[in-house]
Amino acid sequence: MGLDLLLASTQAPADSGGFDFLGAILWPLKWAVELILVAWHWVLTAAGMPAAAGLTWVLSIVGLVIVVRAAVFPLFVKQIKSQRKMMEIAPELRKVQEKYKGKKDQLSREAMSRETMALYKKHGTTPMSSCLPLLVQMPIFFALFSVLRDVGMHARDGIGGVGMLSAELTKEFYDATLFGTVSLHETLGEAWEDQNVTAIVLLAILVVLMIVSQFFTQLQIISKNLSPEAKTGQAYQMQKIMLYVLPLGFIFSGVFFPLGVVIYWFVSNLWTMGQQFLVIREMPTPGSEAAKAREERLARKGKAINAQGKIVPIEVVQAEEQRKLEEMEKAKAEAPKREQPMSKKRAKKKGSN
């Protein structure tokens, strides 16, 4: 059904001599996914968990999430920095857009594009930078989908996967169930056809939890981690729309994706939600409500953030502000003295003329 049919349609029959293009792309990722699953399965069974239990394989999938998300964490940090830079240049981008507003000719469009790209280059960011973690995770997600799909076929044929998932482990993985009746390879559509009430309830609960976690993650961003300037642009309006639209995509995943993939996605959502909470709390966008809340927390501890963004004793920040104030006052006091000789020179020059 759905995506399963789409992936299956890209594969050439085994005896046709055709080239499996999608399979060739996913092969190294499938090999890595199998390696991580088998490694976690070995750790869990070594700790005393039953090798054929569904919970053991579910925790192996959770382990896969941990490995993948830890690996892409540097990209997540880069994403956060890119998003902040995009917010910082939002007023400049609006000026460029207003400058060419209503101009539909080719030269104006090219000039607008050049000025926009120049801004991105100047500040070292692009809109695509904020999508890097997702772009990296999606191929891994589809590799896991492919592994779970192949387990059924391989178990029936008595063969293993592309890597560490041997024929014995493949059969064990395929036969593993939760609550005695729910297969990790079963979709909501298949459970509905088989009238597997336990599977239907479990998948439905997971889909609802996925929607709630995605909604809450997005809500954290737009309610607490945006500056007042960022809340006035078109990008903010799009984020508000996506707050309600994006979670609905999980309804599709709950119907067409196997339980193992749904578990992977749900646990990944929980990781994102927790990670986003920590980032908003400890690395908020300057000027946002989260930033003000952080400053208040630091102030209660006798600390503050200096001009370099480092946490220091509040006395140090106050001393810096006092020094800057004195420098400004000194500059104001010296300004008339500098202007007076210049005025005399201009008057003398005028008199000589």
Side-chain angles (χ1 to χ4, degrees), residues 17-55:
F19 177 65
D20 182 2
F21 180 71
L22 183 60
I25 294 175
L26 290 179
W27 188 91
L29 290 175
K30 289 171 65 176
W31 194 93
V33 165
E34 288 186 12
L35 173 63
I36 297 170
L37 284 174
V38 171
W40 276 101
H41 183 264
W42 179 85
V43 170
L44 293 167
T45 53
M49 295 191 68
L55 181 59

Side-chain angles (χ1 to χ4, degrees), residues 279-284 289-318:
V279 167
I280 291 174
R281 179 180 172 82
E282 302 300 331
M283 299 171 56
E289 292 182 18
K292 294 176 183 176
R294 186 182 183 222
E295 290 171 1
E296 291 173 359
R297 288 196 304 271
L298 290 173
R300 287 195 292 269
K301 297 178 181 179
K303 297 180 179 180
I305 303 171
N306 65 7
Q308 288 73 40
K310 296 180 180 180
I311 299 176
V312 297
I314 196 168
E315 293 81 7
V316 175
V317 175
Q318 290 174 343

